[in-house]
Amino acid sequence: MELILKNIAQHVSLTRQEQELFLSKTEIHHYKAKTILLNSGAICKHSYFVNSGILRSFNINDNIVEHVLTFACEGWWIGDMYSLLSQKPGNLFIEVLEDAEVVLLSKENQEILYREIPKLERFFRILTENSLVANQERLMDNLSLTAEERFEKFCKKYPTLIQKVAQKQIASYLGVTPEFFSKMKSKMLRKQ
Amino acid sequence: MELILKNIAQHVSLTRQEQELFLSKTEIHHYKAKTILLNSGAICKHSYFVNSGILRSFNINDNIVEHVLTFACEGWWIGDMYSLLSQKPGNLFIEVLEDAEVVLLSKENQEILYREIPKLERFFRILTENSLVANQERLMDNLSLTAEERFEKFCKKYPTLIQKVAQKQIASYLGVTPEFFSKMKSKMLRKQ
DNA sequence: AAGGACACTTAATCTAGATTAAGAAAGGAG
DNA sequence: CTCCTTTCTTAATCTAGATTAAGTGTCCTT
């Protein structure tokens, strides 16, 4: 069974026909690492669901410093929520970090699906709710924890990502420079 | 017309009967400043909609430092999303900063309303989407802007809050100490 | 197999913002 | 009006993490 149908089934149950209708509104694409799926300044037309591989969304500050907003690996959704909802140019990039198979759901098809399968409105509401909760927690963590504590939490929460993703990507996600991250990491290893 | 109905009408249109059903599932309460509506460790049973006054949600780190997650004034919703959704104990407090009239919508009634008025599923989805977008922007701002830049953005975004809310609350929202905030503010005044 | 581009490390120096402390101003309860 | 608590200010000192710089490792690409 398709991963994306399993993902939906976790929150709402679709009939066989509804599943087929849903799939008919999506496209599967294959991308090589380093492919940019969305550029800053462009309008985000799709939600992306990762079947395999790893993507990330990030912005660039003053044309220099990158900041990772999210990683997405197997079974995760990713997109530029702001641009997708407003259909205005966003400031996020979406990039492939590891060769990926991705399901694309266009904004128009998503809205057609809301009309034809109202249960999907519930599904995406729940998805957005969970995303908001995770975001709020990360925000509070950034306000109240040290870089070291944030890193420990990250390791517990995304144990698989640490092996697969370049260290500077994790540093960027945590909000520290790669140099400081390297120093911090070796300090933590020496301790424990 | 009730403020909360106007709020809903911004995104979905309800019939007269639906409006009355909705209101019948809510309660209005009046609270004095400093009232705690939700305690850390408690389970959040309601969404709160502010008719007048100001509320805030915050957590406390190591029993010492407070961090403001959100302010809510006239026309805004507030709650502990994590606890409300999971019905597990949360770690947020919700407190009244300025005497307030508040509409309470219990979790159970919210679910009843989803069943009886499916359009409300759409309404709360949109609300959550907007909240997520705002949160992501704030997260990226915290990663990439200085305290001064964040303060300027805050002033533009919430001009009314600055006069009404204690300075240390704004400092806490921005993620700096009240002492540093005071120093920064007077430095900015001297400049411009 | 060699070269070049990144990714990571280490170390010295620097700074935004924290901490500590103490006084001034402002608000609220009696 | 007065006392008491809380908020705000100012200033000295301190630190987590940034910046700069140089060296090492690694993995594509040809």
Side-chain angles (χ1 to χ4, degrees):
Chain A
M1 182 180 170
E2 297 240 17
L3 188 58
I4 198 166
L5 293 180
K6 269 191 204 161
N7 186 253
I8 295 174
Q10 283 175 6
H11 300 296
V12 300
S13 60
L14 300 186
T15 65
R16 187 51 67 86
Q17 292 94 319
E18 287 170 334
Q19 292 185 348
E20 268 157 34
L21 176 60
F22 178 85
L23 290 180
S24 76
K25 299 293 182 192
T26 66
E27 300 167 35
I28 291 190
H29 283 233
H30 293 261
Y31 300 107
K32 288 261 152 222
K34 297 189 183 173
T35 309
I36 301 286
L37 301 196
L38 178 70
N39 253 294
S40 170
I43 293 173
C44 185
K45 303 281 190 194
H46 297 93
S47 300
Y48 303 96
F49 178 86
V50 180
N51 271 337
S52 67
I54 306 179
L55 312 192
R56 67 161 176 155
S57 64
F58 66 102
N59 74 5
I60 297 188
N61 205 237
D62 302 323
N63 295 311
I64 305 176
V65 191
E66 294 180 4
H67 290 279
V68 172
L69 178 59
T70 45
F71 296 110
C73 44
E74 203 177 304
W76 287 79
W77 291 85
I78 196 169
D80 179 344
M81 202 69 174
Y82 165 76
S83 176
L84 195 65
L85 293 175
S86 65
Q87 287 297 291
K88 292 180 193 161
N91 49 19
L92 290 183
F93 295 81
I94 296 179
E95 185 199 28
V96 180
L97 290 180
E98 196 180 72
D99 294 4
E101 181 180 282
V102 179
V103 182
L104 276 72
L105 171 61
S106 74
K107 163 117 176 148
E108 300 95 70
N109 282 342
Q110 185 162 3
E111 269 161 14
I112 291 170
L113 286 169
Y114 283 157
R115 260 172 267 135
E116 308 214 341
I117 313 174
K119 268 175 287 183
L120 286 178
E121 188 114 28
R122 166 174 302 247
F123 171 69
F124 283 104
R125 173 178 61 76
I126 293 170
L127 222 61
T128 309
E129 283 170 354
N130 292 339
S131 191
L132 177 57
V133 167
N135 243 272
Q136 287 186 341
E137 188 181 349
R138 184 166 163 216
L139 184 58
M140 293 311 255
D141 286 350
N142 278 322
L143 292 179
S144 57
L145 303 182
T146 63
E148 215 163 305
E149 291 167 325
R150 275 177 276 147
F151 179 45
E152 275 164 2
K153 245 184 136 166
F154 181 88
C155 291
K156 274 178 206 148
K157 206 161 178 181
Y158 309 106
T160 55
L161 271 178
I162 305 152
Q163 287 101 330
K164 290 187 181 173
V165 160
Q167 203 168 289
K168 65 172 208 167
Q169 302 297 346
I170 296 169
S172 166
Y173 180 93
L174 295 176
V176 296
T177 59
E179 294 87 353
F180 181 76
F181 184 78
S182 171
K183 187 167 97 180
M184 179 179 87
K185 210 189 67 175
S186 67
K187 188 184 134 204
M188 287 167 83
L189 282 172
R190 253 178 284 130
K191 267 193 202 166
Q192 209 63 296
Chain B
M1 184 179 167
E2 297 240 17
L3 188 58
I4 197 165
L5 294 179
K6 271 192 202 159
N7 185 253
I8 294 173
Q10 284 174 6
H11 299 296
V12 300
S13 61
L14 300 187
T15 65
R16 186 51 65 87
Q17 291 93 319
E18 288 170 335
Q19 293 185 348
E20 266 156 36
L21 176 59
F22 178 85
L23 291 181
S24 77
K25 299 294 182 191
T26 66
E27 300 168 34
I28 292 189
H29 283 233
H30 294 260
Y31 300 107
K32 288 263 151 221
K34 297 188 183 175
T35 310
I36 301 286
L37 301 195
L38 179 68
N39 253 295
S40 169
I43 293 173
C44 184
K45 303 283 191 195
H46 301 272
S47 300
Y48 303 95
F49 178 87
V50 180
N51 271 337
S52 67
I54 306 179
L55 312 192
R56 68 161 176 155
S57 64
F58 65 101
N59 74 6
I60 297 187
N61 205 239
D62 302 324
N63 294 313
I64 304 177
V65 190
E66 292 181 5
H67 291 279
V68 172
L69 177 60
T70 45
F71 296 110
C73 45
E74 204 176 304
W76 287 80
W77 290 87
I78 197 169
D80 179 343
M81 203 69 172
Y82 164 75
S83 176
L84 195 63
L85 294 175
S86 65
Q87 288 296 291
K88 291 179 193 163
N91 49 19
L92 290 182
F93 295 80
I94 295 180
E95 184 199 27
V96 180
L97 290 179
E98 197 180 71
D99 294 5
E101 181 180 280
V102 179
V103 182
L104 277 72
L105 172 59
S106 73
K107 163 115 176 151
E108 300 94 71
N109 282 342
Q110 185 161 0
E111 271 162 12
I112 290 169
L113 285 167
Y114 283 156
R115 260 172 266 136
E116 309 215 340
I117 313 173
K119 269 176 287 184
L120 286 178
E121 189 114 29
R122 166 173 303 247
F123 171 70
F124 282 104
R125 172 177 61 77
I126 294 170
L127 221 62
T128 309
E129 284 170 353
N130 292 338
S131 191
L132 178 56
V133 166
N135 243 273
Q136 287 186 341
E137 187 181 349
R138 184 168 163 214
L139 183 57
M140 293 311 256
D141 286 351
N142 278 321
L143 292 179
S144 56
L145 304 182
T146 64
E148 216 162 303
E149 292 167 324
R150 274 177 275 147
F151 179 45
E152 275 164 0
K153 245 183 135 166
F154 182 87
C155 290
K156 274 178 205 146
K157 205 160 179 181
Y158 308 105
T160 54
L161 271 178
I162 306 151
Q163 287 101 331
K164 289 185 180 172
V165 160
Q167 202 168 287
K168 66 172 207 165
Q169 302 297 346
I170 295 168
S172 167
Y173 180 93
L174 295 175
V176 296
T177 60
E179 293 87 351
F180 181 76
F181 184 79
S182 172
K183 187 167 97 181
M184 178 179 87
K185 209 189 65 175
S186 66
K187 187 184 134 203
M188 287 168 83
L189 282 173
R190 252 176 285 131
K191 269 194 200 165
Q192 208 64 293

Short mmCIF file of all heavy atoms in Angstrom, two decimals, chain B residues 15 26 31-32 37 44 59 72 77 81 85 97 108 136 155 160 174 178-179 187:
data_model
loop_
_atom_site.label_atom_id
_atom_site.label_comp_id
_atom_site.label_asym_id
_atom_site.label_seq_id
_atom_site.Cartn_x
_atom_site.Cartn_y
_atom_site.Cartn_z
N THR B 15 -25.36 30.05 8.43
CA THR B 15 -26.75 30.51 8.44
C THR B 15 -27.10 31.01 9.84
O THR B 15 -26.35 30.76 10.81
CB THR B 15 -27.71 29.34 8.13
OG1 THR B 15 -27.62 28.39 9.20
CG2 THR B 15 -27.37 28.66 6.81
N THR B 26 -21.15 27.93 23.45
CA THR B 26 -20.09 28.71 24.09
C THR B 26 -20.59 29.34 25.38
O THR B 26 -21.79 29.42 25.62
CB THR B 26 -19.60 29.85 23.17
OG1 THR B 26 -20.67 30.79 22.99
CG2 THR B 26 -19.18 29.32 21.80
N TYR B 31 -13.12 38.14 33.51
CA TYR B 31 -11.98 37.88 34.39
C TYR B 31 -11.26 39.18 34.72
O TYR B 31 -11.11 40.06 33.87
CB TYR B 31 -10.99 36.93 33.72
CG TYR B 31 -11.56 35.58 33.36
CD1 TYR B 31 -11.83 35.25 32.04
CD2 TYR B 31 -11.81 34.63 34.35
CE1 TYR B 31 -12.33 33.99 31.70
CE2 TYR B 31 -12.31 33.37 34.02
CZ TYR B 31 -12.57 33.06 32.70
OH TYR B 31 -13.07 31.83 32.37
N LYS B 32 -10.76 39.26 35.95
CA LYS B 32 -9.93 40.38 36.39
C LYS B 32 -8.48 40.13 35.96
O LYS B 32 -8.06 38.97 35.84
CB LYS B 32 -9.98 40.49 37.92
CG LYS B 32 -11.30 41.00 38.46
CD LYS B 32 -11.25 42.51 38.73
CE LYS B 32 -12.61 43.15 38.58
NZ LYS B 32 -12.59 44.45 37.91
N LEU B 37 -6.09 31.49 33.89
CA LEU B 37 -7.14 30.67 33.29
C LEU B 37 -6.68 29.23 33.12
O LEU B 37 -7.49 28.31 33.08
CB LEU B 37 -7.56 31.21 31.92
CG LEU B 37 -8.09 32.63 31.85
CD1 LEU B 37 -8.79 32.87 30.52
CD2 LEU B 37 -9.06 32.91 32.99
N CYS B 44 -5.78 21.42 29.23
CA CYS B 44 -6.52 22.54 28.66
C CYS B 44 -7.84 22.03 28.08
O CYS B 44 -7.85 21.18 27.19
CB CYS B 44 -5.68 23.20 27.57
SG CYS B 44 -6.41 24.67 26.85
N ASN B 59 5.36 29.99 29.37
CA ASN B 59 5.83 28.87 30.20
C ASN B 59 6.88 29.39 31.18
O ASN B 59 7.29 30.54 31.10
CB ASN B 59 6.34 27.71 29.35
CG ASN B 59 7.69 27.98 28.71
OD1 ASN B 59 8.33 29.00 28.97
ND2 ASN B 59 8.11 27.08 27.85
N ALA B 72 -2.97 37.72 23.36
CA ALA B 72 -4.25 37.70 22.64
C ALA B 72 -5.07 38.87 23.13
O ALA B 72 -5.35 39.00 24.32
CB ALA B 72 -5.00 36.39 22.90
N TRP B 77 -7.92 34.36 19.25
CA TRP B 77 -8.07 33.09 19.96
C TRP B 77 -6.80 32.77 20.72
O TRP B 77 -5.70 33.14 20.29
CB TRP B 77 -8.33 31.96 18.97
CG TRP B 77 -9.66 31.99 18.31
CD1 TRP B 77 -9.99 32.66 17.17
CD2 TRP B 77 -10.85 31.30 18.72
NE1 TRP B 77 -11.31 32.44 16.85
CE2 TRP B 77 -11.85 31.60 17.77
CE3 TRP B 77 -11.16 30.45 19.79
CZ2 TRP B 77 -13.16 31.09 17.88
CZ3 TRP B 77 -12.45 29.94 19.89
CH2 TRP B 77 -13.44 30.26 18.95
N MET B 81 -2.49 24.70 22.62
CA MET B 81 -2.78 23.81 21.49
C MET B 81 -2.36 22.37 21.80
O MET B 81 -3.10 21.44 21.53
CB MET B 81 -2.00 24.33 20.29
CG MET B 81 -2.54 23.92 18.98
SD MET B 81 -4.12 24.70 18.65
CE MET B 81 -4.36 24.18 16.95
N LEU B 85 -5.24 19.48 22.18
CA LEU B 85 -5.35 18.41 21.18
C LEU B 85 -5.11 17.04 21.79
O LEU B 85 -5.83 16.09 21.50
CB LEU B 85 -4.34 18.63 20.04
CG LEU B 85 -4.59 19.86 19.17
CD1 LEU B 85 -3.46 20.03 18.18
CD2 LEU B 85 -5.93 19.75 18.46
N LEU B 97 -3.92 39.70 31.45
CA LEU B 97 -3.04 40.86 31.68
C LEU B 97 -3.87 42.12 31.92
O LEU B 97 -3.43 43.05 32.60
CB LEU B 97 -2.12 41.08 30.48
CG LEU B 97 -1.01 40.05 30.25
CD1 LEU B 97 -0.19 40.41 29.02
CD2 LEU B 97 -0.11 39.93 31.48
N GLU B 108 -15.07 19.39 23.92
CA GLU B 108 -16.19 18.52 23.53
C GLU B 108 -17.15 19.26 22.59
O GLU B 108 -17.56 18.72 21.56
CB GLU B 108 -16.99 18.04 24.74
CG GLU B 108 -16.22 17.23 25.75
CD GLU B 108 -15.70 18.11 26.88
OE1 GLU B 108 -16.51 18.59 27.69
OE2 GLU B 108 -14.47 18.34 26.92
N GLN B 136 5.94 30.17 12.15
CA GLN B 136 7.15 29.86 11.37
C GLN B 136 7.93 31.13 11.11
O GLN B 136 9.16 31.14 11.20
CB GLN B 136 6.75 29.20 10.05
CG GLN B 136 6.28 27.78 10.23
CD GLN B 136 6.03 27.07 8.91
OE1 GLN B 136 5.87 27.71 7.87
NE2 GLN B 136 5.99 25.75 8.95
N CYS B 155 6.74 46.06 16.77
CA CYS B 155 6.05 47.36 16.85
C CYS B 155 5.13 47.56 15.65
O CYS B 155 4.00 48.05 15.80
CB CYS B 155 7.06 48.49 16.90
SG CYS B 155 7.97 48.56 18.44
N THR B 160 -0.72 48.38 18.92
CA THR B 160 -1.54 48.68 20.11
C THR B 160 -1.00 48.03 21.37
O THR B 160 -1.14 48.56 22.47
CB THR B 160 -3.00 48.20 19.90
OG1 THR B 160 -2.97 46.82 19.55
CG2 THR B 160 -3.69 48.98 18.81
N LEU B 174 10.05 38.73 22.99
CA LEU B 174 11.15 38.86 22.03
C LEU B 174 12.32 37.94 22.35
O LEU B 174 13.17 37.69 21.51
CB LEU B 174 11.65 40.31 21.99
CG LEU B 174 10.67 41.36 21.49
CD1 LEU B 174 11.28 42.75 21.65
CD2 LEU B 174 10.28 41.11 20.04
N PRO B 178 14.47 41.85 30.60
CA PRO B 178 13.93 43.21 30.74
C PRO B 178 15.05 44.25 30.80
O PRO B 178 14.89 45.35 30.27
CB PRO B 178 13.17 43.16 32.06
CG PRO B 178 13.09 41.76 32.49
CD PRO B 178 13.97 40.93 31.63
N GLU B 179 16.16 43.93 31.43
CA GLU B 179 17.28 44.87 31.54
C GLU B 179 17.83 45.21 30.16
O GLU B 179 18.04 46.37 29.82
CB GLU B 179 18.40 44.30 32.42
CG GLU B 179 18.04 44.14 33.87
CD GLU B 179 17.38 42.79 34.14
OE1 GLU B 179 17.07 42.07 33.16
OE2 GLU B 179 17.16 42.46 35.31
N LYS B 187 18.62 53.18 23.73
CA LYS B 187 19.62 53.33 22.66
C LYS B 187 18.92 53.67 21.33
O LYS B 187 19.35 54.57 20.60
CB LYS B 187 20.43 52.04 22.51
CG LYS B 187 21.61 52.16 21.53
CD LYS B 187 22.30 50.80 21.36
CE LYS B 187 22.57 50.52 19.89
NZ LYS B 187 22.71 49.08 19.61
#
